[in-house]
Amino acid sequence: MSPFLSAVITITLSAYGVAMLLALWRVLRGPAAQDRVLAIDLIYTIGILIALVIGLRYGSNMYFEAALLIALFGFVSSAAMGKFLLRGEVIE
């Protein structure tokens, strides 16, 4: 791997880390429940991006499968949280 690509991956991962910390701050200090759910969606999206960048760095397909699983569980959890906030119950 070229030194330029290695530096770009390091910068990208650190930027994703900062974005995840800011989203975590919004989860902890959000004024409304909707803001917290949106911040959790952002955190799992950043987790997907981190898994993809690490997969590019190491050239392993396992990270891409992990990103797919994170996306699947994130979608299901956001749908459940949205339904809970809308109706007050998840399972009818």
Side-chain angles (χ1 to χ4, degrees), residues 2-79:
S2 69
F4 176 72
L5 187 59
S6 179
V8 167
I9 286 175
T10 304
I11 291 170
T12 303
L13 288 174
S14 62
Y16 287 156
V18 169
M20 194 174 281
L21 286 175
L22 290 173
L24 181 64
W25 180 74
R26 177 53 58 193
V27 168
L28 297 175
R29 303 251 328 173
Q34 292 85 359
D35 295 326
R36 290 184 170 106
V37 170
L38 188 62
I40 290 172
D41 286 342
L42 180 63
I43 286 174
Y44 86 77
T45 304
I46 294 170
I48 293 169
L49 292 172
I50 288 173
L52 291 175
V53 170
I54 291 174
L56 288 173
R57 168 70 178 98
Y58 293 116
S60 174
N61 290 334
M62 185 175 59
Y63 292 102
F64 297 112
E65 293 172 7
L68 185 63
L69 286 174
I70 293 170
L72 178 71
F73 288 130
F75 172 74
V76 169
S77 67
S78 2

